[in-house]
Amino acid sequence: MSATATPCSDRAFSPVADILRPASGPPLDCIFDPHAIALIGASDVKGSVGRTLLENLLRDGFKGRVYPIHPKRDTILRHKTYASLAALPEKVDLAVISTAAATMPEILRDCGRAGVRGAIIISEGPREGGSAGAAWEAEILEEARKAGVRLAGPHCLGVMTPRKKLNASCAACLARPGSVGFITQSGALGTAALDWSLRENVGFSAFISLGAMLDIGWGDLIYHLGDDPHTKSIVIYMESIGDARAFLSAAREVALSKPIIVIKPGRTTAGGRALSDEVWRAALQRVGVLQVNTISELFDMAEVLAKQPRPKGPRLAIVTNAGGPAVVAADMLLASGGQLAELCPHSLAAYEAILPPSWNRRNPIEIGGDASPELYAKAVEIAAQDPNTDGLLVVLTPHAATQPTATAEQLKPFAHLHHKPIIASWMGANQVEAGEEILNAASIPTFKYPDRAARAFCQMWRYSENLRALYETPAAVPDHAAAARAKAAAIMQRARQKGRGALTEVESKEILDCYGIPTVETRIAATEAEAVKEANALGFPVALKIFSETVARKTEVGGVRLHLRTEAAVRQAWKAIAAAVAEKAGAPPFQGVTVQPMARLDGCEISLGSVCDAEFGPALYFGCGGPWGEALEDRAMTLPPLNATLARRLMERAKIFAALQGGPGRDSVDVPELEQLLVRFSQLVEEQPWIREIRIDPLLASPERIVALDARIVLHDPATPETQLPRPAIRPYPAQYVSAATLKNHQRVTIRPIKPEDEPLLVKFHQTLSEESVYHRYFSVMKLSQRTAHERLTRICAGDYDREIALVAEYHAGACGRQILGVGRLNKLHGLNEAEFALLISDAWQGQGLGAELMRRLVEVGRGEMLARIIGHILPDNHAMQHVCRKVGFKIEHDPENHDFLAAYGF
């Protein structure tokens, strides 16, 4: 039994494939591909915004109709005007608005009455700003939503679709057509980028100035450009993130098929940083987006990633006719994290045969200042065929005997090497211009300087690594019981009821224990005598630390004494802590101490924790701990949730990871166990939203054990409404959709959302399907090798729960292990409050009621996700699936356009 929502395609296999859309087309086509436009606020006053907009719409060859709107004029610039939207002779798709702020709410109401689907507000808000400006923005957003109008702006430059000759902006001229989708929040930056692009011959599929982003945001535009076949790469100038979850969800999906490159100002205090740059970089890396630091790099990378394949590794071969520029390139390569490829013996022998005896016999490969075009081509061919190279940089400096143009012609056949990018640096000016044009036309990007080219290669590699790490199949990690989660929540609830903002060390360790994170045994002693008694019970040496519900930082008040080896030392430490706390902490009552055995520091001291960012919510960090942690500035960050692979990648970015792997005379730490611990820690952060900050320092990791020696948990203000607690920017596992079911054959199955580690189970599941089931699911024959390809399955298993939820029916078959018996999926449609379903049941388990049960659960998920409708296509001869849909409550109608049946469930 099977059904699909997308004939002849698989949404997970092609994340930007065409999907079912309403007759009106994609949601933002009303803005980027309108058939008719109304300009509200048209003017003939020189220098006015209204005149600039009208001239731009009329001058550049836009094929649609343009209707100037003015209540008191019959014509403007010799074009007929209309008094209102209601007076227009036809329905328009887009309204471009440049009138006073006070008129905006009524204009949007008019748009709704006239059936206008999109609006661009060029105008600014109230001049007084502040609360008045915020109230105005809230009002126009409310009116736009009531009217069903998608809104760009306000206070924006506008938008362009160059291939459509659409210039609905205040820019001085239309951008060149091309394949780069450009989005900016800054109109000033937009005009500067446009001027730069005209000089550098860079073309755009869309040029978008967002302004205040009241309605249309990053997620909307990334999805739109991701679905646009004319867009090959997306570049973004971002000043604020807005809805972080929407941005990351869209970016994570689209980045798999189209490069997304971002520059964000304000990364330093002088730049007016709005959020931690560490968290920002971690967020982009988490979803496979490439961050750059300069505007030139922004467009460099858009061009390079659009023209050349991503490298599989960091090893670059440099072919050059001059040593100095090659050394500069090599220095930049190594400083940026790349590697100089080590040539294989076969390549060295091939070079010996064609190069002078004096050649340097290593990479960079110097072929001589007078190298002919043919020699360049042969040298590049050898480097391209070397299995140790991941990319090629060709450097040419003009000499008397150099032929830059002819050499460029000779390199054209190498423009499309499989998984090996080739880039060039034709150094100079007039002598090399013709060669540069030939290379660029052949899709070989050129750079004036070789160090800039080497850095571009490293950024390509970094981008490739981000995507690869994101979709590796992780090892399975067991979930922790609901009882443990409830126990941890109860500990925090008791503290919040007392108005406390921080937990004691004992409470913090109890919560870690709930999530399977080992902690050193810690006992509370309220008196000096109890401290001595507990020390004897635990065994010397011991450590004493202040126990207090009010003192957060123990060391700052002298509340820690270590390496206590006798009863007398314990008594002396008790008195010293009591005195120090009384002096430094003031009046709070001294509640006693905690006693714990001194751990042998025979391993690595790690700092593991989480912080809460204002825009991205919880973020995790891992690095060197103990007394040297802060001095070494070793901290790698990422966003939750983690799986085992992502946990490993987090550790690998920290300097201390090298020490964890051991070395001469030192055994390695149990890295897989540490991965599992990080995943459990991530689950703790995801499932306990009242936690504002956790710090485990040190987490002692040795070959024999991993144990938390100290821990501190800080809570959000107890007065914070639960609905206002920060949420993870990447949606965690939706455990609320996990439940059990009993089939007709009395077998019990677990129905749950899919996980990244389910890929091996899905491979086995697809091996149980007949050709008929496959045909009914995909509307075509699809080979097993295609269905079980790693790239395809990881996109299903490691998807974003905010845009797609797949439910699997899991059966525990005793000695045969776990099996997946069926899969049901809901894919949310971009820009619409709808989802399309797909269902596939193993042949051996059909007829047991599993299909109907999965469909019912999909409906429950749709209701929980607040969808308006679920839809799907079913082949005419798939009677079993039609029966199941009707049984669950779907309405089924024949769809003559697609020659199948459309099943729909409305909420």
Side-chain angles (χ1 to χ4, degrees), residues 368-391:
D370 59 350
S372 68
E374 292 74 20
L375 183 58
Y376 255 107
K378 187 61 180 175
V380 168
E381 181 183 7
I382 295 169
Q385 293 175 350
D386 191 313
N388 293 342
T389 64
D390 299 310

Side-chain angles (χ1 to χ4, degrees), residues 242-259:
D243 187 341
R245 181 174 283 187
F247 166 72
L248 295 178
S249 180
R252 186 182 184 198
E253 177 179 353
V254 174
L256 284 168
S257 300
K258 300 182 181 182

Side-chain angles (χ1 to χ4, degrees), residues 146-196:
K146 285 180 181 177
V149 176
R150 295 309 310 268
L151 187 65
H155 189 37
C156 68
L157 189 67
V159 304
M160 301 182 198
T161 308
R163 65 184 176 84
K164 292 286 185 177
K165 306 294 185 183
L166 172 64
N167 185 0
S169 78
C170 295
C173 59
L174 181 66
R176 295 180 188 273
S179 62
V180 176
F182 178 64
I183 314 171
T184 177
Q185 280 182 292
S186 167
L189 189 281
T191 57
L194 177 61
D195 184 62
W196 176 89

Side-chain angles (χ1 to χ4, degrees), residues 75-285:
T75 62
I76 294 178
L77 301 180
R78 298 192 297 278
H79 283 77
K80 177 177 172 56
T81 63
Y82 296 83
S84 65
L85 288 169
L88 294 179
E90 65 171 320
K91 180 179 174 180
V92 300
D93 308 295
L94 174 65
V96 181
I97 307 169
S98 65
T99 58
T103 66
M104 218 63 66
E106 182 59 35
I107 288 174
L108 291 172
R109 288 190 284 270
D110 289 343
C111 287
R113 289 188 285 265
V116 178
R117 296 189 298 120
I120 302 172
I121 298 181
I122 307 294
S123 315
E124 299 184 28
R127 290 185 179 277
E128 57 269 28
S131 59
W136 175 79
E137 289 183 350
E139 182 182 8
I140 64 170
L141 179 58
E142 181 182 4
E143 294 296 343
R145 288 179 173 168
K146 285 180 181 177
V149 176
R150 295 309 310 268
L151 187 65
H155 189 37
C156 68
L157 189 67
V159 304
M160 301 182 198
T161 308
R163 65 184 176 84
K164 292 286 185 177
K165 306 294 185 183
L166 172 64
N167 185 0
S169 78
C170 295
C173 59
L174 181 66
R176 295 180 188 273
S179 62
V180 176
F182 178 64
I183 314 171
T184 177
Q185 280 182 292
S186 167
L189 189 281
T191 57
L194 177 61
D195 184 62
W196 176 89
S197 71
L198 294 172
R199 186 178 68 252
E200 296 294 324
N201 200 28
V202 174
F204 298 94
S205 58
F207 191 95
I208 307 158
S209 168
L210 275 180
M213 287 198 314
L214 290 190
D215 174 33
I216 296 173
W218 299 113
D220 298 299
L221 293 171
I222 290 172
Y223 277 133
H224 176 81
L225 295 174
D227 285 336
D228 175 27
H230 303 281
T231 299
K232 304 303 180 187
S233 58
I234 301 169
V235 299
I236 295 174
Y237 177 89
M238 179 183 288
E239 293 180 343
S240 60
I241 189 68
D243 187 341
R245 181 174 283 187
F247 166 72
L248 295 178
S249 180
R252 186 182 184 198
E253 177 179 353
V254 174
L256 284 168
S257 300
K258 300 182 181 182
I260 301 176
I261 307 105
V262 173
I263 181 173
K264 185 181 185 302
R267 294 180 296 108
T268 63
T269 305
R273 180 171 56 190
L275 72 159
S276 165
D277 188 44
E278 283 184 281
V279 178
W280 167 251
R281 284 186 281 110
L284 294 189
Q285 187 174 50

